[in-house]
Amino acid sequence: MDLKICYGLIILLIISTGTTFAQESLISIQTDDNNYDEGDAIVVSGKVTTVIGETPVILQLFSQGNLVDIAQLTVAQDGSFTKTFLAEGKLWKKTGEYTIIASYQEHQIETGFSYTSKSEAVVITEPYEVDAGSYGTFDVKYTIKGGTVKKMVVDSNMFAVVVQIDATDEGSITLDLPREFIGAEKQDGKDDTFIILIDGIEVPYQEPDVHSESRVITIEFEPSDSDIEIIGTYVVPEFGTVVMMILVVGIMMTVLVARNKFPISI
């Protein structure tokens, strides 16, 4: 008798476990990223394994237990669905972990992501003393979001400034490049485009405004990026003049010392 009860319990456990797995696998969801900032588009996509008539998928988005947004989605014939939430508005003020719950009939599944509001976003803005080797140094003002600047150096052979970053997330860096030290110009003196390489791959950049004393460019990067090369048509040209002046002064001093040490009588 006890053996029959034991077998019965085992069968019930197997059925119960199988039902649970079926419920969990009936619907799946994911986001296109794990971290978002205010103003970002949050793309939620998923799929149901069995389409049940015209039953919709209900998406609910929560922050610390408070409902932020809700959507009712029509499921495609292949079971897929997608929804884009825009992370802005009065309900998107709290930085922290957000939860998305997807419901399909009695089945539910959830996922989450991290969100940072503009008021709490970490943005670093400061000048950096660029190392130009034997030519000296000059300052470049910059703003970076999503990482930190490790180093800035001049590559005189490439007419470039190389920025080494530690990218912790998707982000961007804005560089205020002084024209007297680095630039990209055509033969007629007008502005030309910079060549921007991230880890050896050419990428676009933004330069919305034109400034007389500098060129302000913004470059977007990914979490795995490290080396950004800004290549122009000249770099630290005035240091070449300084070096020549120092050389001339040095030669003159050498001549004067030699004349004093070995006077020439006429």
Side-chain angles (χ1 to χ4, degrees):
M1 187 71 172
D2 293 339
L3 190 59
K4 291 181 179 180
I5 294 174
C6 183
Y7 282 142
L9 290 174
I10 292 173
I11 292 171
L12 287 174
L13 180 61
I14 293 172
I15 294 173
S16 175
T17 304
T19 303
T20 301
F21 287 153
Q23 289 178 349
E24 291 179 352
S25 62
L26 181 65
I27 182 172
S28 61
I29 57 168
Q30 60 276 327
T31 55
D32 63 331
D33 200 354
N34 295 321
N35 302 282
Y36 297 96
D37 298 319
E38 188 171 347
D40 286 349
I42 302 170
V43 180
V44 183
S45 58
K47 193 169 186 178
V48 297
T49 56
T50 303
V51 178
I52 306 172
E54 297 182 357
T55 303
V57 169
I58 307 298
L59 293 182
Q60 299 176 85
L61 200 155
F62 292 92
S63 169
Q64 300 176 11
N66 298 315
L67 183 64
V68 176
D69 209 337
I70 188 170
Q72 179 174 298
L73 310 178
T74 300
V75 179
Q77 291 184 351
D78 64 353
S80 63
F81 57 89
T82 184
K83 171 64 179 178
T84 300
F85 294 99
L86 191 59
E88 63 180 19
K90 62 181 181 181
L91 297 179
W92 290 88
K93 298 303 180 184
K94 293 183 179 180
T95 294
E97 298 298 318
Y98 282 59
T99 302
I100 301 173
I101 297 178
S103 304
Y104 191 63
Q105 282 198 340
E106 72 275 13
H107 307 285
Q108 282 191 347
I109 194 170
E110 67 179 57
T111 189
F113 59 86
S114 297
Y115 169 76
T116 304
S117 66
K118 287 183 178 179
S119 61
E120 298 186 35
V122 178
V123 178
I124 301 172
T125 305
E126 58 186 42
Y128 193 99
E129 189 176 66
V130 179
D131 181 7
S134 59
Y135 298 107
T137 63
F138 62 94
D139 288 342
V140 170
K141 296 178 181 178
Y142 75 94
T143 300
I144 189 169
K145 179 182 178 183
T148 56
V149 171
K150 297 168 60 178
K151 192 176 183 181
M152 284 193 203
V153 296
V154 165
D155 185 341
S156 57
N157 295 324
M158 294 286 291
F159 302 112
V161 169
V162 182
V163 183
Q164 296 180 354
I165 63 172
D166 182 12
T168 57
D169 196 359
E170 292 180 354
S172 63
I173 182 170
T174 299
L175 299 160
D176 191 343
L177 303 171
R179 290 179 181 271
E180 61 177 317
F181 299 119
I182 181 172
E185 294 181 354
K186 300 177 182 178
Q187 291 185 348
D188 59 5
K190 294 182 179 180
D191 285 344
D192 201 353
T193 55
F194 287 103
I195 297 174
I196 309 297
L197 303 179
I198 296 183
D199 295 335
I201 300 174
E202 187 171 357
V203 299
Y205 68 93
Q206 293 81 45
E207 187 179 10
D209 301 315
V210 177
H211 302 271
S212 60
E213 300 297 324
S214 64
R215 294 185 65 175
V216 181
I217 64 173
T218 299
I219 306 163
E220 296 182 352
F221 55 79
E222 300 293 329
S224 59
D225 294 337
S226 59
D227 290 347
I228 302 175
E229 298 175 72
I230 300 98
I231 303 172
T233 57
Y234 68 86
V235 65
V236 288
E238 79 293 346
F239 284 132
T241 304
V242 171
V243 170
M244 288 302 297
M245 291 177 61
I246 293 173
L247 181 61
V248 170
V249 171
I251 292 172
M252 293 177 61
M253 291 297 295
T254 301
V255 172
L256 290 173
V257 170
R259 290 184 61 182
N260 291 332
K261 189 173 182 180
F262 304 104
I264 300 174
S265 57
I266 300 177

